[in-house]
Amino acid sequence: PTPLASQALVEMAEGEDRAQLLAALPAEKIAEFLRALPDDDATDLIGELEPDDQRKTLATLPDDDAGDIKRLLRYDEETAGGLMTTELVEVEASLTADEAIRQVRILGRDVEDFYTVFVIDQERRLLGTMRLDDLVVADPGASIKALVEEPSVTVSPDEDQEQVGKLLGRYNLAAIPVVTDEGVLLGRITFDDVIKVIESEQTEDILMLAGVTDEDELKHTWVQSVRTRLPWLMLNLATAAIAASVILVFKDLIEKELTLAFLAPIIAAMGGSSGTQSLAVTIRRITLQGSGSARGFVAKEILVGLVNGAVLGVGIALLAFLIDGNVMLGLVVLLAMWGNQIVAGFAGAFIPTRLDRAGIDPSIASSVFVHTLTDLLGFFLLLWLASHLLL
Amino acid sequence: PTPLASQALVEMAEGEDRAQLLAALPAEKIAEFLRALPDDDATDLIGELEPDDQRKTLATLPDDDAGDIKRLLRYDEETAGGLMTTELVEVEASLTADEAIRQVRILGRDVEDFYTVFVIDQERRLLGTMRLDDLVVADPGASIKALVEEPSVTVSPDEDQEQVGKLLGRYNLAAIPVVTDEGVLLGRITFDDVIKVIESEQTEDILMLAGVTDEDELKHTWVQSVRTRLPWLMLNLATAAIAASVILVFKDLIEKELTLAFLAPIIAAMGGSSGTQSLAVTIRRITLQGSGSARGFVAKEILVGLVNGAVLGVGIALLAFLIDGNVMLGLVVLLAMWGNQIVAGFAGAFIPTRLDRAGIDPSIASSVFVHTLTDLLGFFLLLWLASHLLL
């Protein structure tokens, strides 16, 4: 039956397959599916069609459905406007609880999942919200005006979806109202939409930290994966080559003391590991709490680097001494490891914080910066110290 | 006032600070806070006290509250039983809609956020659920038995919280019923608890991929951070040293051809980068979709490695030729890069899938395996090929 088929289309992951399936259907069939869906889901589906097909499909829908969808299509997919549905249950503040419940009974027939009743004035400005459960248990004669709670949070339609997710999670809301600057109620965003947002934003964090710059990667073919991952790898190749070229600069030194060729990649790799730890913690912190008041966190990461670096430095110094029997080489490698660990802790916390404050997504760019820095510094510290202390 | 203070305690991040604050309060004051909270939140708070303080606090609570909390304390914090509240609105199937609403009005006064009404038989076995909005719009004379929907999903109290989060997200539910093996209703888990679970499980994924093995890291002092991160770094140091020791094995070769000391860390690092990309995509896929039917994904990652490896291999070969002017060295480095990229793609997809199927959290262990493999193979392929093709 149509409602089930429509639901199946909504549940299908976005991307190539669903767009192709839709494109293959006649416009009348698509319209039939769409009428069975809430307007936010219908808008998501139509948004995947080519502009020509969008027009054709909208033309086959009843005028009021088409109008809702056209309005919703204007909002960016990743904003509150792109998430919201305009289908909701609203009552005027002048009613009593009993009158309101009767109105909810009528309006509620066409609305899915309305756990929140929106209370408006005659200009459709939002006065507040009532939880449906509170309305049900209320004294029938009580006036809605006395029962309404000021909405703990509202969002504008241009609000970023990540921010909407944070608000809903923080305030434990079943639905967030979307209002204009003048306070007029436009729609609502429900918890199930937000769960999807939280999942996709976090997929983004994980993948971008690893250098996969497209959140849709999970649905990609191998050709698309190559296209999104290769640019990052080529950038990495360039930075790795620049860092390793320090080895060529100190060629003569390595010829004399070949153990350095064994130690250099270890110090660089350990800098990368610590930098990644610090980076992951910081990016997670920024996602959950924002990048404000970061000074304490940066200081903490430097302290962690100071201690971890001392321990790892002694470890690698012992190893170098065992292999080479040279105390001075042990000292050189201890200092190089230690310095690189401190910088790794600092950079892993400082760089993403700065990028976030500059309005750049820290997950994308931080990893390249931190790894280049710890590679370069790891090679350089070891070989520069060796050239001054060993010869 | 007490309810606000209680709510503030619930919103406080778990961990040292909250436990200390609680421990500083007299048992009577704690009990006062707890009475204002739903039993799942109260249980979380009590769970943070020392056993002695737990007993003292429970003794000051009314018997029925204390009994609920004691029962909930028996469940592991990270299971459905640890998440659920026993406070819910239940009606018997023999009622009419009108009678049910009247019962909901009474029961609902003490229950927060009851968007779902649970329908039970006389033995308290769960027959199904009704959305409160459906009950409100129903014909008053209709029997509940005719209106009830079979619950689309129930969980046992031992179910892992990650699984609960997945189910609620997939089925867009406001609440999941928790039932015994015999189908007796024990409690419910609401969407707001699950949003917290989804966030914390994903924090875990991100941090563990980066080698931070404690999901509570965001709240840690620097001493605790050193304690949880250093063991992973020491393991890393050991594996990095083992991988780099390949350089010592081929010492004579590097003495003759020092460009190899420049190329080896680049090939190892690029293997690590590609392996991390493949790993991040695979771990995210496992978290969202499980590790079943992975053969296609592993094949895709190998294909991606094949193509990326060819491009990166040509790039590094050109670089080596520019530095050294030796065509044979170019060929050696091309093959080493290519081979390592293919293995990186394979290992990044295969290792976490196997670990997950073996019941081991893939985020913890995969990264060490993949990096050790790509480091070791990167060094070995380059130097072994060089020793056969260059001399």
Side-chain angles (χ1 to χ4, degrees), chain A residues 187-225:
Chain A
R188 64 180 173 131
I189 300 168
T190 50
F191 70 89
D192 50 312
D193 296 316
V194 169
I195 285 180
K196 285 181 197 128
V197 168
I198 293 175
E199 285 186 339
S200 93
E201 291 285 341
Q202 303 200 342
T203 297
E204 211 178 286
D205 277 3
I206 293 182
L207 297 184
M208 285 190 174
L209 250 182
V212 183
T213 52
D214 189 333
E215 50 169 324
D216 287 331
E217 160 83 33
L218 294 190
K219 303 155 208 155
H220 278 182
T221 64
W222 67 270
V223 180
Q224 292 171 303
S225 291

Side-chain angles (χ1 to χ4, degrees), chain A residues 30-141:
Chain A
I30 298 180
E32 191 185 316
F33 282 141
L34 293 177
R35 275 199 302 274
L37 287 176
D39 59 1
D40 55 339
D41 290 337
T43 306
D44 284 350
L45 279 183
I46 287 193
E48 287 189 32
L49 297 174
E50 299 297 317
D52 257 11
D53 293 328
Q54 285 189 13
R55 261 190 300 276
K56 258 184 265 172
T57 309
L58 284 170
T60 61
L61 284 176
D63 277 356
D64 51 342
D65 288 2
D68 283 348
I69 292 177
K70 271 186 211 157
R71 265 189 296 280
L72 287 179
L73 271 175
R74 264 186 253 136
Y75 298 111
D76 185 316
E77 227 188 310
E78 304 206 339
T79 63
L83 282 178
M84 74 179 180
T85 170
T86 61
E87 293 164 15
L88 47 79
V89 172
E90 57 196 11
V91 298
E92 282 195 23
S94 52
L95 304 180
T96 63
D98 194 45
E99 290 167 332
I101 285 190
R102 261 181 282 156
Q103 186 170 333
V104 165
R105 282 204 171 126
I106 297 165
L107 292 173
R109 277 182 228 282
D110 299 325
V111 177
E112 283 195 11
D113 300 319
F114 64 97
Y115 305 110
T116 309
V117 175
F118 297 89
V119 181
I120 53 175
D121 66 14
Q122 289 183 322
E123 275 86 46
R124 233 185 155 234
R125 278 191 300 251
L126 181 71
L127 296 176
T129 58
M130 278 201 77
R131 295 212 325 252
L132 180 60
D133 48 351
D134 288 338
L135 181 59
V136 170
V137 302
D139 175 11

Side-chain angles (χ1 to χ4, degrees), chain A residues 32 50 66 71 78 87 100 104 117 141 150 152-154 170 174 254 258 265 267 308-309 335 337 339 345:
Chain A
E32 191 185 316
E50 299 297 317
R71 265 189 296 280
E78 304 206 339
E87 293 164 15
V104 165
V117 175
E150 256 197 63
S152 46
V153 54
T154 64
R170 190 166 314 148
I254 293 174
L258 249 165
I267 290 174
N308 284 348
L335 291 177
M337 176 73 94

Side-chain angles (χ1 to χ4, degrees), chain A residues 339-361:
Chain A
N340 205 25
Q341 288 291 311
I342 296 168
V343 171
F346 166 74
F350 184 76
I351 290 176
T353 306
R354 279 286 134 161
L355 288 177
D356 188 62
R357 289 202 193 145
I360 301 166
D361 186 333

Side-chain angles (χ1 to χ4, degrees), chain B residues 76-306:
Chain B
D76 184 316
E77 226 189 309
E78 304 206 340
T79 63
L83 282 178
M84 74 179 179
T85 170
T86 62
E87 294 165 14
L88 48 78
V89 171
E90 58 196 11
V91 299
E92 283 196 21
S94 52
L95 303 181
T96 63
D98 194 45
E99 290 168 333
I101 286 190
R102 261 180 283 155
Q103 188 170 331
V104 166
R105 284 204 169 124
I106 298 163
L107 291 173
R109 278 182 226 282
D110 300 325
V111 177
E112 281 195 12
D113 300 319
F114 63 98
Y115 306 109
T116 308
V117 175
F118 297 90
V119 181
I120 52 174
D121 67 11
Q122 289 183 323
E123 274 85 47
R124 232 185 156 234
R125 279 190 302 251
L126 181 70
L127 297 176
T129 58
M130 279 199 76
R131 296 213 323 253
L132 180 60
D133 47 352
D134 288 337
L135 182 60
V136 170
V137 301
D139 175 12
S143 94
I144 292 296
K145 199 171 290 173
L147 292 171
V148 68
E149 295 169 47
E150 257 197 62
S152 46
V153 54
T154 64
V155 295
S156 98
D158 303 317
E159 189 68 74
D160 186 74
Q161 64 172 3
E162 189 169 357
Q163 183 61 19
V164 176
K166 269 185 217 166
L167 289 171
L168 190 135
R170 191 166 314 148
Y171 294 96
N172 294 344
L173 301 168
I176 292 186
V178 183
V179 299
T180 66
D181 291 343
E182 291 78 36
V184 175
L185 182 62
L186 293 173
R188 63 178 173 133
I189 300 169
T190 49
F191 70 91
D192 51 312
D193 296 317
V194 170
I195 286 180
K196 284 180 198 128
V197 168
I198 292 176
E199 284 186 339
S200 94
E201 290 286 342
Q202 304 201 341
T203 298
E204 210 178 288
D205 276 3
I206 293 182
L207 296 184
M208 286 190 174
L209 251 183
V212 183
T213 52
D214 189 334
E215 49 168 325
D216 287 332
E217 159 84 31
L218 295 190
K219 303 157 210 154
H220 276 182
T221 64
W222 69 269
V223 180
Q224 292 170 304
S225 291
V226 166
R227 233 183 271 153
T228 61
R229 294 192 210 171
L230 191 54
W232 198 86
L233 290 174
M234 282 164 70
L235 175 62
N236 248 22
L237 178 59
T239 61
I242 291 167
S245 64
V246 173
I247 290 179
L248 291 178
V249 173
F250 289 95
K251 219 170 167 173
D252 300 342
L253 179 66
I254 293 174
E255 244 161 22
K256 277 178 215 134
E257 181 62 58
L258 249 165
T259 316
L260 291 170
F262 158 77
L263 295 168
I266 299 179
I267 290 174
M270 295 309 297
S273 291
S274 288
T276 302
Q277 289 184 335
S278 168
L279 196 57
V281 172
T282 305
I283 287 196
R284 198 67 196 126
R285 192 194 303 284
I286 291 172
T287 302
L288 293 176
Q289 302 164 6
S291 61
S293 71
R295 201 169 299 171
F297 306 136
V298 175
K300 175 190 146 185
E301 292 299 326
I302 294 175
L303 252 170
V304 172
L306 213 78

Side-chain angles (χ1 to χ4, degrees), chain A residues 316-349:
Chain A
I316 189 91
L318 285 175
L319 198 65
F321 180 73
L322 282 175
I323 290 170
D324 206 275
N326 182 340
V327 176
M328 214 52 194
L329 181 68
L331 180 67
V332 164
V333 74
L334 164 67
L335 291 177
M337 176 73 94
W338 205 349
N340 205 25
Q341 288 291 311
I342 296 168
V343 171
F346 166 74

